[in-house]
Amino acid sequence: MTMQEITNYLDNKINSNENIVIITFYEVRIKFNLSEGETQEFLRLCKTRLENLGYLTYFTGAKYEYQGITKEVQSNELMVAIKENIM
């Protein structure tokens, strides 16, 4: 994926819910047909962009708090990003 495609993807996710962005295994590995290595690079670039926009990022298995509830990034989710000021 190009940087522009990643930017457009994240912008669409943020437009649908600016407080939480969830990137799923299905979207990345099946829909975008990315290899394991491409997936890792995709997630690295997403993490950098989201953190620059004020999000905290969490990967599969990590615990996070959202709207006062402690949750865990599920096995079918590759990344969850939470807007810092809404925790």
Side-chain angles (χ1 to χ4, degrees):
M1 289 185 84
T2 66
M3 283 303 300
Q4 188 59 50
E5 290 171 323
I6 292 170
T7 298
N8 291 342
Y9 168 76
L10 290 175
D11 287 348
N12 287 336
K13 287 283 202 177
I14 291 168
N15 286 338
S16 64
N17 186 348
E18 68 179 334
N19 295 326
I20 187 169
V21 174
I22 299 173
I23 299 173
T24 66
F25 178 89
Y26 173 80
E27 290 173 310
V28 177
R29 294 299 300 271
I30 308 302
K31 188 175 171 185
F32 299 147
N33 195 30
L34 298 182
S35 69
E36 181 65 33
E38 291 168 331
T39 297
Q40 294 308 313
E41 180 65 9
F42 173 82
L43 292 173
R44 185 185 69 77
L45 294 170
C46 287
K47 178 182 189 298
T48 300
R49 177 135 196 283
L50 288 166
E51 287 177 348
N52 287 339
L53 292 172
Y55 286 83
L56 299 172
T57 56
Y58 305 91
F59 294 94
T60 306
K63 293 193 185 309
Y64 63 94
E65 188 172 315
Y66 181 63
Q67 296 181 335
I69 300 169
T70 300
K71 297 183 176 190
E72 183 176 331
V73 182
Q74 299 301 305
S75 61
N76 65 330
E77 300 168 336
L78 298 177
M79 178 191 291
V80 172
I82 308 291
K83 190 75 170 169
E84 281 191 78
N85 61 353
I86 61 99
M87 292 174 63

Coordinates of all heavy atoms in Angstrom, one line a residue:
M1 N 0.8 -1.2 0.0 CA 0.0 0.0 0.0 C 0.9 1.2 0.0 O 1.9 1.3 0.6 CB -0.9 0.0 1.2 CG -2.0 -1.0 1.3 SD -3.1 -0.8 2.7 CE -4.2 0.4 2.1
T2 N 0.4 2.3 -0.7 CA 1.1 3.5 -0.7 C 0.8 4.3 0.6 O -0.2 4.1 1.2 CB 0.8 4.3 -1.9 OG1 -0.6 4.7 -1.8 CG2 1.0 3.6 -3.2
M3 N 1.6 5.3 0.8 CA 1.3 6.2 2.0 C 0.0 6.9 1.8 O -0.8 7.1 2.8 CB 2.4 7.3 2.1 CG 3.7 6.7 2.8 SD 3.4 6.0 4.4 CE 2.7 7.3 5.3
Q4 N -0.4 7.3 0.6 CA -1.6 7.9 0.3 C -2.8 7.0 0.6 O -3.8 7.4 1.2 CB -1.7 8.4 -1.1 CG -2.9 9.3 -1.4 CD -3.0 10.5 -0.5 OE1 -2.0 11.3 -0.4 NE2 -4.1 10.7 0.1
E5 N -2.7 5.7 0.2 CA -3.7 4.7 0.5 C -3.9 4.5 2.0 O -5.0 4.4 2.5 CB -3.4 3.4 -0.1 CG -3.5 3.4 -1.7 CD -3.0 2.2 -2.3 OE1 -2.0 1.6 -1.9 OE2 -3.6 1.8 -3.3
I6 N -2.8 4.5 2.8 CA -2.8 4.4 4.2 C -3.5 5.6 4.8 O -4.3 5.5 5.7 CB -1.4 4.1 4.8 CG1 -0.9 2.7 4.4 CG2 -1.4 4.2 6.3 CD1 0.5 2.5 4.7
T7 N -3.1 6.8 4.4 CA -3.7 8.0 4.9 C -5.2 8.0 4.6 O -6.0 8.4 5.5 CB -3.0 9.2 4.2 OG1 -1.6 9.2 4.5 CG2 -3.7 10.5 4.6
N8 N -5.6 7.7 3.4 CA -7.0 7.7 3.1 C -7.8 6.6 3.9 O -8.9 6.9 4.4 CB -7.2 7.3 1.6 CG -6.8 8.4 0.7 OD1 -6.6 9.6 1.1 ND2 -6.6 8.1 -0.6
Y9 N -7.2 5.5 4.1 CA -7.8 4.4 5.0 C -8.0 5.0 6.4 O -9.1 4.8 7.0 CB -6.9 3.2 5.0 CG -7.2 2.2 6.0 CD1 -8.4 1.3 5.8 CD2 -6.5 2.0 7.2 CE1 -8.7 0.4 6.8 CE2 -6.8 1.1 8.1 CZ -7.9 0.3 7.9 OH -8.2 -0.7 8.9
L10 N -7.0 5.5 7.0 CA -7.1 6.1 8.4 C -8.0 7.2 8.4 O -8.8 7.3 9.4 CB -5.7 6.5 8.9 CG -4.8 5.3 9.2 CD1 -3.4 5.8 9.6 CD2 -5.3 4.4 10.2
D11 N -8.0 8.1 7.4 CA -9.0 9.2 7.4 C -10.4 8.7 7.4 O -11.3 9.3 8.1 CB -8.7 10.1 6.2 CG -7.5 11.0 6.4 OD1 -6.9 11.0 7.5 OD2 -7.1 11.6 5.4
N12 N -10.7 7.7 6.6 CA -12.0 7.1 6.6 C -12.4 6.5 8.0 O -13.6 6.7 8.4 CB -12.2 6.0 5.5 CG -12.2 6.6 4.1 OD1 -12.6 7.8 4.0 ND2 -11.8 5.9 3.1
K13 N -11.5 5.8 8.6 CA -11.7 5.2 9.9 C -12.0 6.3 10.9 O -12.9 6.2 11.7 CB -10.5 4.4 10.4 CG -10.3 3.1 9.7 CD -11.3 2.1 10.2 CE -10.8 0.7 10.0 NZ -11.8 -0.2 10.6
I14 N -11.2 7.4 10.9 CA -11.4 8.5 11.9 C -12.7 9.2 11.6 O -13.4 9.6 12.5 CB -10.2 9.5 11.8 CG1 -8.9 8.8 12.3 CG2 -10.5 10.8 12.5 CD1 -7.6 9.5 12.1
N15 N -13.1 9.4 10.3 CA -14.3 10.1 10.0 C -15.5 9.3 10.5 O -16.5 9.8 10.9 CB -14.4 10.3 8.5 CG -13.6 11.4 8.0 OD1 -13.2 12.3 8.8 ND2 -13.2 11.4 6.8
S16 N -15.4 7.9 10.5 CA -16.5 7.1 11.0 C -16.6 7.1 12.5 O -17.7 7.0 13.1 CB -16.5 5.7 10.5 OG -15.4 5.0 10.9
N17 N -15.5 7.2 13.2 CA -15.5 7.4 14.7 C -14.1 7.9 15.1 O -13.1 7.2 15.2 CB -15.7 6.0 15.4 CG -15.9 6.1 16.9 OD1 -15.6 7.2 17.5 ND2 -16.3 5.1 17.5
E18 N -14.1 9.2 15.5 CA -12.8 9.9 15.8 C -12.3 9.5 17.1 O -11.1 9.7 17.4 CB -13.0 11.4 15.7 CG -13.8 12.0 16.7 CD -13.9 13.5 16.6 OE1 -13.0 14.1 16.1 OE2 -14.9 14.1 17.1
N19 N -13.1 8.9 18.0 CA -12.6 8.5 19.3 C -11.9 7.2 19.4 O -11.0 7.0 20.2 CB -13.8 8.4 20.3 CG -14.4 9.8 20.5 OD1 -13.7 10.8 20.5 ND2 -15.7 9.8 20.6
I20 N -12.2 6.2 18.5 CA -11.6 4.9 18.5 C -11.4 4.4 17.1 O -12.3 4.5 16.3 CB -12.3 3.9 19.4 CG1 -11.6 2.6 19.5 CG2 -13.7 3.7 18.9 CD1 -12.1 1.6 20.6
V21 N -10.2 3.9 16.8 CA -9.9 3.4 15.5 C -9.5 1.9 15.7 O -8.6 1.6 16.5 CB -8.8 4.1 14.8 CG1 -8.4 3.4 13.5 CG2 -9.2 5.6 14.5
I22 N -10.2 1.0 15.0 CA -10.0 -0.4 15.2 C -9.6 -1.0 13.8 O -10.3 -0.8 12.8 CB -11.2 -1.2 15.7 CG1 -11.6 -0.7 17.1 CG2 -10.9 -2.7 15.7 CD1 -12.8 -1.2 17.6
I23 N -8.4 -1.6 13.7 CA -7.9 -2.2 12.5 C -7.9 -3.7 12.7 O -7.3 -4.2 13.6 CB -6.4 -1.7 12.2 CG1 -6.4 -0.2 12.0 CG2 -5.9 -2.4 11.0 CD1 -5.0 0.5 11.9
T24 N -8.7 -4.4 11.8 CA -8.9 -5.8 12.0 C -8.0 -6.6 11.1 O -7.5 -6.2 10.1 CB -10.3 -6.2 11.7 OG1 -10.6 -6.0 10.4 CG2 -11.3 -5.4 12.6
F25 N -7.8 -7.9 11.5 CA -7.0 -8.8 10.8 C -7.7 -9.0 9.4 O -7.0 -9.0 8.4 CB -7.0 -10.2 11.5 CG -6.3 -11.3 10.8 CD1 -5.0 -11.5 10.9 CD2 -7.0 -12.1 9.9 CE1 -4.3 -12.5 10.2 CE2 -6.3 -13.1 9.2 CZ -5.0 -13.3 9.4
Y26 N -9.0 -9.1 9.3 CA -9.7 -9.3 8.1 C -9.4 -8.2 7.1 O -9.1 -8.4 5.9 CB -11.2 -9.4 8.3 CG -12.0 -9.4 7.0 CD1 -12.1 -10.6 6.3 CD2 -12.6 -8.3 6.5 CE1 -12.8 -10.6 5.1 CE2 -13.3 -8.3 5.3 CZ -13.4 -9.5 4.6 OH -14.0 -9.5 3.4
E27 N -9.5 -6.9 7.6 CA -9.2 -5.8 6.7 C -7.8 -5.8 6.1 O -7.6 -5.6 4.9 CB -9.4 -4.5 7.4 CG -10.7 -4.1 7.8 CD -10.8 -2.9 8.7 OE1 -10.0 -2.8 9.7 OE2 -11.6 -2.0 8.4
V28 N -6.8 -6.1 6.9 CA -5.5 -6.0 6.4 C -5.0 -7.2 5.7 O -4.5 -7.1 4.6 CB -4.5 -5.8 7.7 CG1 -3.1 -5.7 7.2 CG2 -4.9 -4.5 8.4
R29 N -5.2 -8.4 6.2 CA -4.7 -9.6 5.6 C -5.5 -10.1 4.5 O -5.0 -10.7 3.5 CB -4.5 -10.7 6.7 CG -3.4 -10.4 7.7 CD -2.0 -10.2 7.1 NE -1.5 -11.3 6.4 CZ -0.8 -12.3 6.9 NH1 -0.5 -12.3 8.2 NH2 -0.4 -13.3 6.2
I30 N -6.9 -10.0 4.6 CA -7.8 -10.6 3.6 C -8.2 -9.5 2.6 O -8.0 -9.7 1.4 CB -9.0 -11.2 4.2 CG1 -8.7 -12.2 5.4 CG2 -10.0 -11.8 3.2 CD1 -7.8 -13.3 4.9
K31 N -8.8 -8.4 3.0 CA -9.3 -7.4 2.1 C -8.1 -6.7 1.3 O -8.2 -6.5 0.1 CB -10.1 -6.3 2.9 CG -10.8 -5.3 2.1 CD -11.6 -4.4 3.0 CE -12.2 -3.3 2.2 NZ -12.9 -2.3 3.1
F32 N -7.0 -6.3 2.0 CA -5.9 -5.7 1.4 C -4.9 -6.7 0.8 O -4.0 -6.3 0.1 CB -5.2 -4.7 2.3 CG -6.1 -3.6 2.8 CD1 -5.9 -3.0 4.1 CD2 -7.1 -3.0 2.0 CE1 -6.7 -2.0 4.5 CE2 -7.9 -2.0 2.5 CZ -7.7 -1.5 3.8
N33 N -5.0 -7.9 1.2 CA -4.2 -9.0 0.7 C -2.7 -8.7 1.0 O -1.8 -8.9 0.2 CB -4.4 -9.3 -0.7 CG -3.8 -10.6 -1.2 OD1 -3.7 -11.6 -0.4 ND2 -3.3 -10.7 -2.4
L34 N -2.4 -8.3 2.3 CA -1.0 -8.0 2.6 C -0.3 -9.2 3.2 O -1.0 -10.0 4.0 CB -1.0 -6.8 3.6 CG -1.5 -5.5 3.2 CD1 -1.3 -4.4 4.3 CD2 -0.8 -5.0 1.9
S35 N 0.9 -9.4 3.0 CA 1.7 -10.5 3.6 C 2.0 -10.1 5.0 O 1.7 -9.0 5.5 CB 3.0 -10.7 2.8 OG 3.9 -9.6 3.0
E36 N 2.6 -11.1 5.8 CA 2.9 -10.8 7.2 C 3.9 -9.6 7.3 O 3.7 -8.7 8.1 CB 3.6 -12.0 7.8 CG 3.9 -11.9 9.2 CD 2.7 -11.7 10.2 OE1 1.7 -12.3 9.9 OE2 2.9 -11.0 11.2
G37 N 4.9 -9.6 6.4 CA 5.8 -8.5 6.4 C 5.2 -7.1 6.1 O 5.5 -6.1 6.7
E38 N 4.3 -7.2 5.0 CA 3.6 -6.0 4.6 C 2.7 -5.5 5.7 O 2.5 -4.3 5.9 CB 2.9 -6.2 3.3 CG 3.7 -6.4 2.1 CD 3.0 -7.0 0.9 OE1 2.0 -7.7 1.1 OE2 3.4 -6.7 -0.2
T39 N 2.1 -6.4 6.4 CA 1.2 -6.1 7.5 C 1.9 -5.4 8.6 O 1.4 -4.4 9.2 CB 0.5 -7.4 8.1 OG1 -0.3 -7.9 7.0 CG2 -0.4 -7.1 9.3
Q40 N 3.1 -5.9 9.0 CA 3.9 -5.2 10.0 C 4.3 -3.8 9.6 O 4.2 -2.9 10.5 CB 5.2 -6.1 10.3 CG 4.8 -7.4 11.0 CD 3.9 -7.3 12.2 OE1 4.2 -6.5 13.1 NE2 2.9 -8.2 12.2
E41 N 4.7 -3.6 8.4 CA 5.0 -2.3 7.9 C 3.8 -1.4 7.9 O 3.8 -0.2 8.3 CB 5.6 -2.3 6.5 CG 6.0 -1.0 5.9 CD 7.2 -0.3 6.7 OE1 7.8 -0.9 7.6 OE2 7.4 0.9 6.4
F42 N 2.7 -1.9 7.5 CA 1.4 -1.2 7.5 C 1.0 -0.7 8.9 O 0.7 0.5 9.1 CB 0.3 -2.0 6.9 CG -1.1 -1.5 7.0 CD1 -1.5 -0.6 6.1 CD2 -1.9 -1.9 8.0 CE1 -2.8 0.0 6.2 CE2 -3.2 -1.4 8.1 CZ -3.7 -0.4 7.2
L43 N 1.1 -1.6 9.9 CA 0.8 -1.3 11.2 C 1.8 -0.2 11.8 O 1.4 0.7 12.6 CB 0.8 -2.5 12.1 CG -0.4 -3.5 11.8 CD1 -0.2 -4.8 12.6 CD2 -1.7 -2.9 12.1
R44 N 3.1 -0.4 11.5 CA 4.1 0.6 11.9 C 3.7 2.0 11.4 O 3.8 3.0 12.2 CB 5.5 0.2 11.5 CG 6.6 1.1 12.0 CD 7.9 0.7 11.4 NE 8.0 1.0 10.0 CZ 8.2 2.3 9.5 NH1 8.3 3.3 10.4 NH2 8.3 2.5 8.2
L45 N 3.4 2.1 10.1 CA 3.0 3.4 9.6 C 1.7 4.0 10.1 O 1.6 5.2 10.4 CB 2.9 3.3 8.0 CG 4.3 3.0 7.3 CD1 4.0 2.6 5.9 CD2 5.3 4.1 7.5
C46 N 0.8 3.1 10.4 CA -0.5 3.5 11.0 C -0.2 4.0 12.4 O -0.8 5.0 12.8 CB -1.5 2.4 11.0 SG -2.2 2.0 9.4
K47 N 0.6 3.3 13.2 CA 0.9 3.7 14.5 C 1.5 5.1 14.6 O 1.1 5.9 15.4 CB 1.8 2.6 15.2 CG 2.3 3.0 16.6 CD 3.3 1.9 17.0 CE 3.6 2.0 18.5 NZ 4.3 3.2 18.9
T48 N 2.5 5.3 13.7 CA 3.1 6.6 13.7 C 2.2 7.7 13.3 O 2.1 8.7 14.0 CB 4.3 6.6 12.6 OG1 5.2 5.6 13.0 CG2 5.0 7.9 12.5
R49 N 1.3 7.5 12.3 CA 0.4 8.6 12.0 C -0.7 8.8 13.1 O -1.0 10.0 13.4 CB -0.4 8.2 10.7 CG -1.4 9.2 10.3 CD -1.4 9.5 8.8 NE -2.1 10.8 8.6 CZ -3.5 10.8 8.5 NH1 -4.2 9.8 8.7 NH2 -4.1 12.0 8.3
L50 N -1.2 7.7 13.6 CA -2.2 7.9 14.7 C -1.6 8.6 15.9 O -2.3 9.4 16.5 CB -2.8 6.5 15.0 CG -3.8 6.0 13.9 CD1 -4.0 4.5 14.1 CD2 -5.0 6.8 13.8
E51 N -0.4 8.2 16.3 CA 0.2 8.8 17.5 C 0.5 10.3 17.2 O 0.3 11.1 18.1 CB 1.5 8.1 17.9 CG 1.2 6.8 18.5 CD 2.4 5.9 18.9 OE1 3.5 6.3 18.4 OE2 2.3 5.0 19.6
N52 N 0.8 10.7 16.0 CA 1.0 12.1 15.6 C -0.3 12.8 15.7 O -0.3 14.1 15.9 CB 1.6 12.2 14.2 CG 3.1 11.8 14.2 OD1 3.8 11.8 15.2 ND2 3.6 11.5 13.0
L53 N -1.4 12.1 15.5 CA -2.8 12.8 15.6 C -3.3 12.7 17.0 O -4.5 13.1 17.2 CB -3.7 12.0 14.6 CG -3.4 12.2 13.1 CD1 -4.4 11.3 12.3 CD2 -3.6 13.7 12.7
G54 N -2.6 12.2 18.0 CA -3.0 12.3 19.4 C -3.7 11.0 19.9 O -4.5 11.1 20.8
Y55 N -3.4 9.9 19.2 CA -4.0 8.6 19.6 C -3.0 7.8 20.4 O -1.8 7.8 20.1 CB -4.5 7.8 18.4 CG -5.7 8.4 17.8 CD1 -5.6 9.4 16.9 CD2 -7.0 7.8 18.0 CE1 -6.8 9.9 16.2 CE2 -8.1 8.3 17.4 CZ -8.0 9.4 16.5 OH -9.1 9.8 15.9
L56 N -3.5 7.0 21.3 CA -2.7 6.0 22.0 C -3.0 4.7 21.3 O -4.1 4.3 21.0 CB -3.1 5.8 23.5 CG -2.9 7.1 24.3 CD1 -3.5 6.9 25.7 CD2 -1.4 7.4 24.4
T57 N -1.9 3.9 20.9 CA -2.1 2.7 20.1 C -1.9 1.4 20.9 O -1.0 1.4 21.8 CB -1.2 2.7 18.9 OG1 0.1 2.9 19.3 CG2 -1.6 3.9 17.9
Y58 N -2.6 0.4 20.7 CA -2.5 -0.9 21.3 C -2.6 -2.0 20.3 O -3.4 -1.9 19.4 CB -3.7 -1.0 22.4 CG -3.7 0.1 23.4 CD1 -4.5 1.2 23.1 CD2 -3.0 0.1 24.5 CE1 -4.6 2.3 24.0 CE2 -3.1 1.1 25.4 CZ -3.8 2.2 25.2 OH -3.9 3.3 26.0
F59 N -1.8 -3.0 20.6 CA -1.8 -4.2 19.6 C -2.5 -5.4 20.3 O -2.7 -5.4 21.5 CB -0.4 -4.5 19.2 CG 0.2 -3.3 18.4 CD1 1.0 -2.3 19.0 CD2 0.0 -3.2 17.0 CE1 1.5 -1.3 18.2 CE2 0.5 -2.2 16.3 CZ 1.2 -1.2 16.9
T60 N -2.7 -6.4 19.5 CA -3.4 -7.7 19.9 C -2.9 -8.1 21.3 O -1.7 -8.3 21.5 CB -3.1 -8.8 18.8 OG1 -3.5 -8.3 17.6 CG2 -3.9 -10.0 19.2
G61 N -3.8 -8.3 22.2 CA -3.5 -8.8 23.5 C -3.3 -7.8 24.5 O -3.4 -8.0 25.7
A62 N -3.1 -6.5 24.1 CA -2.9 -5.4 25.1 C -4.2 -5.0 25.7 O -5.2 -5.1 25.1 CB -2.2 -4.3 24.4
K63 N -4.1 -4.5 26.9 CA -5.3 -4.0 27.7 C -5.3 -2.5 27.5 O -4.2 -1.8 27.5 CB -5.2 -4.4 29.1 CG -5.4 -5.9 29.3 CD -5.6 -6.2 30.8 CE -5.7 -7.7 31.1 NZ -6.5 -8.5 30.2
Y64 N -6.5 -1.9 27.4 CA -6.6 -0.5 27.3 C -8.0 -0.1 28.0 O -8.8 -0.9 28.2 CB -6.6 0.0 25.8 CG -7.7 -0.6 25.0 CD1 -8.9 0.2 24.8 CD2 -7.6 -1.8 24.4 CE1 -9.9 -0.3 24.0 CE2 -8.7 -2.3 23.6 CZ -9.8 -1.6 23.4 OH -10.8 -2.1 22.6
E65 N -8.1 1.2 28.3 CA -9.3 1.7 28.9 C -10.0 2.6 27.9 O -9.4 3.5 27.3 CB -9.0 2.5 30.2 CG -10.3 2.8 30.9 CD -10.0 3.4 32.3 OE1 -9.2 2.9 33.0 OE2 -10.6 4.4 32.6
Y66 N -11.3 2.3 27.7 CA -12.1 3.1 26.8 C -13.5 3.4 27.4 O -14.2 2.4 27.8 CB -12.3 2.4 25.4 CG -13.1 3.2 24.4 CD1 -12.7 4.4 24.0 CD2 -14.3 2.7 24.0 CE1 -13.4 5.1 23.0 CE2 -15.1 3.4 23.0 CZ -14.6 4.6 22.6 OH -15.4 5.3 21.7
Q67 N -13.8 4.6 27.6 CA -15.1 5.0 28.2 C -15.3 4.4 29.6 O -16.3 3.9 30.0 CB -16.3 4.7 27.3 CG -16.2 5.5 26.0 CD -17.4 5.3 25.1 OE1 -18.0 4.2 25.2 NE2 -17.7 6.2 24.3
G68 N -14.2 4.4 30.4 CA -14.2 3.9 31.7 C -14.2 2.4 31.9 O -14.3 1.8 33.0
I69 N -14.1 1.6 30.8 CA -14.1 0.2 30.8 C -12.8 -0.4 30.3 O -12.3 0.1 29.3 CB -15.2 -0.4 29.9 CG1 -16.6 0.1 30.4 CG2 -15.2 -1.9 29.9 CD1 -17.7 -0.1 29.4
T70 N -12.2 -1.3 31.1 CA -11.0 -1.9 30.7 C -11.3 -3.0 29.6 O -12.1 -3.9 29.9 CB -10.2 -2.5 31.9 OG1 -9.9 -1.5 32.8 CG2 -8.9 -3.2 31.4
K71 N -10.6 -2.9 28.5 CA -10.8 -3.9 27.4 C -9.5 -4.4 27.0 O -8.5 -4.0 27.4 CB -11.5 -3.2 26.2 CG -12.9 -2.6 26.5 CD -13.5 -2.1 25.3 CE -15.0 -1.6 25.6 NZ -15.7 -1.2 24.4
E72 N -9.6 -5.5 26.1 CA -8.4 -6.1 25.6 C -8.5 -6.1 24.1 O -9.6 -6.4 23.6 CB -8.2 -7.5 26.2 CG -6.9 -8.2 25.7 CD -6.7 -9.5 26.4 OE1 -7.2 -9.7 27.5 OE2 -6.1 -10.4 25.7
V73 N -7.4 -5.9 23.4 CA -7.4 -6.0 21.9 C -7.6 -7.4 21.6 O -6.8 -8.3 22.0 CB -6.1 -5.4 21.3 CG1 -6.2 -5.5 19.8 CG2 -5.9 -3.9 21.8
Q74 N -8.6 -7.8 20.9 CA -9.0 -9.1 20.6 C -8.1 -9.8 19.5 O -7.4 -9.1 18.8 CB -10.4 -9.2 20.1 CG -11.4 -8.7 21.2 CD -11.4 -9.5 22.5 OE1 -11.5 -10.7 22.5 NE2 -11.1 -8.8 23.6
S75 N -8.1 -11.1 19.4 CA -7.2 -11.8 18.5 C -7.5 -11.5 17.0 O -6.7 -11.6 16.2 CB -7.3 -13.3 18.7 OG -8.6 -13.8 18.5
N76 N -8.8 -11.0 16.7 CA -9.1 -10.7 15.3 C -8.8 -9.2 15.1 O -9.1 -8.7 14.0 CB -10.5 -11.0 15.0 CG -11.5 -10.2 15.8 OD1 -11.2 -9.8 17.0 ND2 -12.7 -9.9 15.3
E77 N -8.3 -8.5 16.1 CA -8.0 -7.0 15.9 C -6.4 -6.9 16.0 O -5.8 -7.4 16.8 CB -8.6 -6.2 17.0 CG -10.1 -6.3 17.1 CD -10.7 -5.7 18.4 OE1 -10.0 -5.6 19.4 OE2 -11.9 -5.3 18.3
L78 N -5.9 -6.2 15.0 CA -4.4 -6.0 15.0 C -4.0 -4.8 15.7 O -3.0 -4.8 16.4 CB -3.9 -5.9 13.5 CG -4.2 -7.1 12.7 CD1 -3.7 -6.9 11.2 CD2 -3.4 -8.3 13.2
M79 N -4.9 -3.7 15.7 CA -4.5 -2.5 16.4 C -5.8 -1.8 16.8 O -6.8 -1.8 16.1 CB -3.7 -1.6 15.6 CG -3.4 -0.2 16.2 SD -2.7 1.0 15.1 CE -1.1 0.2 14.7
V80 N -5.8 -1.2 18.0 CA -6.8 -0.3 18.5 C -6.2 1.0 18.9 O -5.1 1.0 19.6 CB -7.6 -0.9 19.7 CG1 -8.6 0.2 20.3 CG2 -8.3 -2.1 19.3
A81 N -6.7 2.1 18.4 CA -6.2 3.4 18.7 C -7.3 4.3 19.4 O -8.4 4.3 18.9 CB -5.6 4.1 17.5
I82 N -6.9 4.8 20.5 CA -7.9 5.6 21.3 C -7.4 7.1 21.3 O -6.3 7.3 21.7 CB -8.0 5.1 22.8 CG1 -8.2 3.6 22.8 CG2 -9.0 5.9 23.6 CD1 -9.6 3.2 22.4
K83 N -8.3 8.0 21.0 CA -8.0 9.4 21.1 C -7.6 9.7 22.6 O -8.4 9.4 23.5 CB -9.2 10.3 20.7 CG -8.9 11.7 20.5 CD -8.1 11.9 19.2 CE -8.0 13.4 18.9 NZ -7.1 13.7 17.9
E84 N -6.5 10.3 22.8 CA -6.0 10.5 24.2 C -6.9 11.3 25.1 O -7.1 10.9 26.3 CB -4.6 11.3 24.2 CG -3.5 10.4 23.8 CD -2.2 11.1 24.0 OE1 -1.7 11.1 25.2 OE2 -1.6 11.5 23.0
N85 N -7.6 12.3 24.7 CA -8.4 13.1 25.6 C -9.8 12.6 25.9 O -10.5 13.2 26.7 CB -8.5 14.6 25.0 CG -9.3 14.6 23.7 OD1 -9.5 13.5 23.1 ND2 -9.5 15.7 23.2
I86 N -10.1 11.4 25.4 CA -11.5 10.9 25.7 C -11.5 9.7 26.7 O -12.5 9.2 27.0 CB -12.3 10.5 24.4 CG1 -11.6 9.4 23.6 CG2 -12.5 11.7 23.5 CD1 -12.1 8.1 23.9
M87 N -10.3 9.3 27.1 CA -10.2 8.2 28.0 C -11.0 8.5 29.3 O -11.6 7.7 29.9 CB -8.8 7.8 28.3 CG -8.1 7.3 27.1 SD -6.3 7.0 27.4 CE -6.4 5.8 28.6

